[in-house]
Amino acid sequence: MRRHRVMMVLAGAAAVWCAAPSAVIAAPTARAGTWRTAIEVPGSGALNKGGNAEAFSVSCASAGNCAAAGAYIDGSGHVQAFVVSETNGTWGNARQVAGSGALNAGGRAVVTSVSCASAGNCGAGGLYTDGLINHQAFVVSERNGTWGRARQVPGSGALNKGGNAEVFSVSCASAGNCAAGGLYTDGSGHVQAFVVSERNGTWGRAIEVPGSGALNAGGEAVVRSVSCAPAGNCAAGGFYSDRSIHLQAFVVSERNGTWGKAIEVPGSGALNQGGEAVVGSVSCAPAGNCAAGGLYTDRSGHQQAFVVSHT
């Protein structure tokens, strides 16, 4: 898969609060929260014998109840996946993702995304390298504060004939009800987008994003972001390559456990005169209303930001 430019956007967020004029006058001054002092992830020093560790994703279900995940290098120089949980404001010790060591015969495993629906109930996903040095996608779940064993995304092995699969995003709506999305390489060497859903603690089989194959004439499609609210009702977004080998942004929705067909983000084609449009992030509210954002390239070759809403 070709590498694309990486653009870092530093964005500030402002909160807006509306009330009647009298209420505004009487309202007390809001107090900002206080960030505590950063600490080394407990236990990560003992794992990180190779001297290179990073937390790639963090998710919080409630105040003081979070999870973080990423990768470290062990004493043999292999990249290993870790998770660490915070309970009632106290971080526990990082641990290698259970079962990932046996999967990771090729020596590279990473958690790329973690999502927590409630305290002690999370899902995570990423990639590992098997004994044939192929990248495979995995998921792992936490239930009532205990992380289970990593497993290859069900069905992804059959899809991943080209030996390159990865979970890019995980979202959990409630305990045991999550979705994940990412990429795999088919038997023709084309990169395709997949989604997979967990229902009541059991992961189903990964599927190519419905409709994405027809869009993806250029052979490069990826789910970059997934968001679920409520269970079985999710949205995902990413990009595909059209017949002109231009990257186009897509979105796809799941309703009551069934994924619909991917579509090009409405209006993005007209904006995308430079041939590169990507959905980078999707977020859904409990009412099933979602928003997505990303980038497109204008006629002058400049990258511009876009947002789009689903109601």
Side-chain angles (χ1 to χ4, degrees):
M1 185 178 73
R2 65 178 175 177
R3 299 292 180 180
H4 301 292
R5 296 188 300 273
V6 177
M7 183 180 72
M8 297 183 65
V9 179
L10 302 180
V16 178
W17 181 71
C18 299
S22 58
V24 172
I25 294 172
T29 302
R31 294 185 178 182
T34 300
W35 285 97
R36 298 179 180 177
T37 301
I39 61 170
E40 180 181 289
V41 173
S44 64
L47 295 175
N48 185 33
K49 301 296 187 183
N52 192 352
E54 182 175 354
F56 288 118
S57 182
V58 178
S59 179
C60 296
S62 59
N65 293 283
C66 307
Y72 65 92
I73 297 181
D74 64 20
S76 299
H78 298 154
V79 180
Q80 305 289 358
F82 80 84
V83 287
V84 61
S85 299
E86 182 193 34
T87 304
N88 297 323
T90 300
W91 287 96
N93 283 323
R95 54 172 292 182
Q96 182 179 343
V97 173
S100 65
L103 295 175
N104 185 33
R108 183 171 184 263
V110 178
V111 176
T112 54
S113 181
V114 64
S115 177
C116 297
S118 59
N121 292 283
C122 307
L127 68 91
Y128 67 91
T129 307
D130 64 22
L132 298 176
I133 317 303
N134 293 326
H135 286 174
Q136 306 289 353
F138 79 85
V139 285
V140 62
S141 301
E142 182 192 31
R143 294 290 172 266
N144 300 318
T146 300
W147 285 96
R149 295 181 66 82
R151 60 173 300 183
Q152 183 182 59
V153 172
S156 65
L159 295 174
N160 184 35
K161 300 297 188 183
N164 186 22
E166 179 176 354
V167 169
F168 274 129
S169 182
V170 177
S171 179
C172 298
S174 59
N177 293 283
C178 306
L183 66 84
Y184 67 92
T185 306
D186 65 21
S188 299
H190 297 155
V191 178
Q192 307 288 357
F194 80 83
V195 284
V196 62
S197 299
E198 182 192 32
R199 295 286 173 269
N200 300 318
T202 300
W203 285 96
R205 293 183 68 81
I207 60 170
E208 179 182 295
V209 172
S212 66
L215 295 174
N216 185 34
E220 186 176 0
V222 179
V223 171
R224 292 283 300 274
S225 181
V226 178
S227 180
C228 298
N233 293 273
C234 308
F239 65 86
Y240 66 91
S241 178
D242 64 20
R243 293 187 184 278
S244 301
I245 319 300
H246 294 157
L247 296 188
Q248 306 292 352
F250 80 83
V251 284
V252 63
S253 299
E254 182 193 33
R255 293 289 173 267
N256 299 320
T258 300
W259 286 96
K261 294 186 70 172
I263 60 169
E264 181 181 294
V265 173
S268 65
L271 294 174
N272 183 31
Q273 297 297 307
E276 186 173 357
V278 176
V279 170
S281 183
V282 177
S283 180
C284 296
N289 296 286
C290 305
L295 66 87
Y296 67 91
T297 308
D298 65 21
R299 192 181 300 274
S300 300
H302 299 152
Q303 286 187 341
Q304 308 289 355
F306 77 82
V307 287
V308 62
S309 299
H310 175 269
T311 304

